[in-house]
Amino acid sequence: IFPIPYPYLYASYGKQYKVRPLLLLSLTRQESLFNHRIVSGAGARGIAQNMPKEAKGMARRWGIRRFRIQHLFRVSLNLRMGAYHFQEYLKRHNHDVELTLAAYNAGPRSLKRWMKENPHLHRLDPEAFIEYGIGYRETRRYVRNCLRWYSVYRHAFGG
């Protein structure tokens, strides 16, 4: 029911980018149900649902020559990019998982707007922020589901 595909990759990229592997696993479960060939309606690709524009930028910074969008279907590269991207959001949001998940799903501009509209809500009550502060139903559901999967994986695997 709760598989762990590619355990070495999750452990390796989790360690490299300082993202808890079970959190990364929960994120990709919600993003793609571990389907490395999936493409979203918005154009995000692969197991961690990376957007082509951000992926091109990462590939350039990392010195990956001849990067093509279809390379996002390679699990190792896609998961590495997803872990890096998630880690960047974690740093930006003081390692707050709820805010990072919301930014990963809806984008940093949306999260910034919601934080401005509800400046103290997240600090006072993170659950209320998820339910009332996040402006997109899809993102509310996404954050709740990622947190649920993370809780289940931690309980099942002692993380």
Side-chain angles (χ1 to χ4, degrees):
I1 296 174
F2 291 95
I4 299 182
Y6 322 106
Y8 174 78
L9 293 177
Y10 283 96
S12 176
Y13 293 138
K15 183 177 181 179
Q16 181 177 353
Y17 295 111
K18 296 176 179 61
V19 177
R20 289 168 265 172
L22 293 179
L23 178 57
L24 191 56
L25 187 72
S26 303
L27 171 99
T28 55
R29 183 185 203 283
Q30 182 62 32
E31 286 287 352
S32 65
L33 201 56
F34 310 118
N35 179 352
H36 69 281
R37 303 287 305 166
I38 197 165
V39 179
S40 77
R45 288 166 165 73
I47 193 167
Q49 288 291 277
N50 292 292
M51 293 298 286
K53 182 179 177 184
E54 283 85 14
K56 284 180 184 178
M58 279 186 258
R60 206 174 313 112
R61 285 190 303 276
W62 293 348
I64 298 173
R65 298 173 188 245
R66 298 185 190 109
F67 175 78
R68 302 286 176 262
I69 297 305
Q70 53 269 37
H71 294 163
L72 287 174
F73 296 123
R74 296 177 182 168
V75 173
S76 180
L77 180 63
N78 191 286
L79 189 56
R80 179 181 176 207
M81 288 181 166
Y84 173 82
H85 193 60
F86 193 77
Q87 174 230 17
E88 289 296 306
Y89 282 159
L90 272 172
K91 286 192 288 189
R92 193 178 304 171
H93 300 294
N94 202 26
H95 297 274
D96 185 293
V97 173
E98 291 93 352
L99 296 180
T100 301
L101 288 168
Y104 194 90
N105 180 259
R109 286 190 189 121
S110 296
L111 178 61
K112 187 175 182 176
R113 184 177 69 247
W114 300 330
M115 295 294 288
K116 188 176 180 180
E117 292 168 357
N118 303 283
H120 305 291
L121 185 56
H122 181 264
R123 196 171 52 249
L124 295 173
D125 190 345
E127 289 180 17
F129 179 77
I130 292 168
E131 295 305 318
Y132 305 108
I134 292 176
Y136 301 151
R137 182 180 350 180
E138 175 192 338
T139 302
R140 286 192 298 273
R141 189 174 329 140
Y142 174 88
V143 171
R144 284 192 309 258
N145 285 342
C146 285
L147 293 173
R148 182 180 307 120
W149 303 144
Y150 184 44
S151 178
V152 168
Y153 274 111
R154 282 192 334 237
H155 179 73
F157 299 103

